[in-house]
Amino acid sequence: MGYEKIELVEPIYELQDKETERQHYFLELYLEVSDDNITKFIKSFKGLGKGDEWQYEGSKKELSFNPPKPRTLTLWSSYLQYKNRRRAYWEDKFKEMRKQRKERAEKFLSSFQDDLEDELASNKRISKEIEMDGQVFPHLKGKGKNEIAFANKTTWDIYKEVTGVEVANTEQNVNLNVDADVKQETNATLKAEKLIKLKQRMDEMDYD
């Protein structure tokens, strides 16, 4: 084999046609070290042989091949293009990491969106239960509906941020306007209750 740079085929950090397994083994070790200082990397094999424990900045590995002499490994790193292949290796690795992070984020947001939709459905169900419960005083119904309306508005705002969708359906508009409607309803109900009690007291009074 001559010492001219080999022609690389993608993915260039994988074993090439004009590369031995032993040569590629030491390339793989170089791909995983914390920096690209080739001189430091070559010196790290001094006095070691196959089966010995190779240590590099805290990591340890039992060598599967005898390390070449420093001059030989220097030549390998040149015509086998260690640095170019290391750069391509880490570019692909970072690209894959970004892809995985994006997939995890999308999965989380999808699950979170489901939770928000469940919460909106639950709020709607509770609001109906409050409305239909004949044992709840009117002013307590108003207070409960008011709290549900506030919870719905908060949930819709979060939902819009998560999905990026401008929600403009009737149900949302109703939920957002319930707050004002409930306050009016509550005030009217309380006034009616006071009038009823006043009339009862007047009916019970003895004018003799």
Side-chain angles (χ1 to χ4, degrees), residues 26-147:
F26 286 95
L27 168 68
E28 287 185 319
L29 293 181
Y30 179 64
L31 294 179
E32 294 292 345
V33 297
S34 57
D35 58 60
D36 64 353
N37 189 325
I38 193 67
T39 301
K40 179 181 176 182
F41 174 73
I42 292 171
K43 288 181 178 179
S44 68
F45 297 101
K46 184 177 180 179
L48 299 180
K50 179 180 177 181
D52 289 340
E53 186 177 71
W54 172 65
Q55 298 185 33
Y56 197 92
E57 296 188 342
S59 63
K60 299 178 181 180
K61 189 178 185 68
E62 183 179 316
L63 294 175
S64 300
F65 291 91
N66 284 319
K69 294 179 180 180
R71 173 174 169 75
T72 301
L73 189 50
T74 300
L75 289 172
W76 287 3
S77 69
S78 176
Y79 70 77
L80 296 176
Q81 304 182 55
Y82 274 22
K83 288 197 172 185
N84 288 342
R85 296 166 76 181
R86 174 189 166 87
R87 188 179 303 111
Y89 171 79
W90 282 103
E91 284 177 356
D92 283 358
K93 192 164 187 174
F94 285 136
K95 187 182 298 181
E96 180 61 26
M97 291 168 64
R98 286 193 295 270
K99 178 182 176 183
Q100 291 175 359
R101 285 198 300 270
K102 181 180 178 182
E103 289 174 351
R104 287 199 301 269
E106 289 175 347
K107 184 177 180 180
F108 171 78
L109 288 177
S110 177
S111 176
F112 188 45
Q113 180 178 335
D114 291 341
D115 291 341
L116 291 173
E117 292 172 357
D118 289 344
E119 184 174 348
L120 289 168
S122 176
N123 290 345
K124 185 176 182 180
R125 184 178 64 255
I126 294 172
S127 182
K128 287 184 177 179
E129 291 174 355
I130 292 174
E131 185 66 31
M132 298 299 293
D133 193 338
Q135 297 182 354
V136 178
F137 290 114
H139 69 283
L140 293 179
K141 282 187 178 182
K143 182 179 179 182
K145 290 173 66 178
N146 193 26
E147 291 177 352

Side-chain angles (χ1 to χ4, degrees), residues 113-189:
Q113 180 178 335
D114 291 341
D115 291 341
L116 291 173
E117 292 172 357
D118 289 344
E119 184 174 348
L120 289 168
S122 176
N123 290 345
K124 185 176 182 180
R125 184 178 64 255
I126 294 172
S127 182
K128 287 184 177 179
E129 291 174 355
I130 292 174
E131 185 66 31
M132 298 299 293
D133 193 338
Q135 297 182 354
V136 178
F137 290 114
H139 69 283
L140 293 179
K141 282 187 178 182
K143 182 179 179 182
K145 290 173 66 178
N146 193 26
E147 291 177 352
I148 291 296
F150 180 78
N152 268 349
K153 182 180 185 308
T154 301
T155 305
W156 276 116
D157 288 344
I158 297 173
Y159 186 87
K160 184 169 65 174
E161 289 295 325
V162 169
T163 62
V165 174
E166 289 293 335
V167 184
N169 57 44
T170 303
E171 182 179 357
Q172 184 199 22
N173 293 333
V174 168
N175 281 326
L176 296 181
N177 293 325
V178 162
D179 183 67
D181 294 341
V182 166
K183 286 181 181 178
Q184 293 177 2
E185 177 184 336
T186 302
N187 291 335
T189 302

Side-chain angles (χ1 to χ4, degrees), residues 15-30:
L15 180 67
Q16 302 293 304
D17 287 340
K18 294 184 178 181
E19 184 177 37
T20 67
E21 289 186 9
R22 180 172 174 236
Q23 289 172 334
H24 189 258
Y25 174 79
F26 286 95
L27 168 68
E28 287 185 319
L29 293 181
Y30 179 64

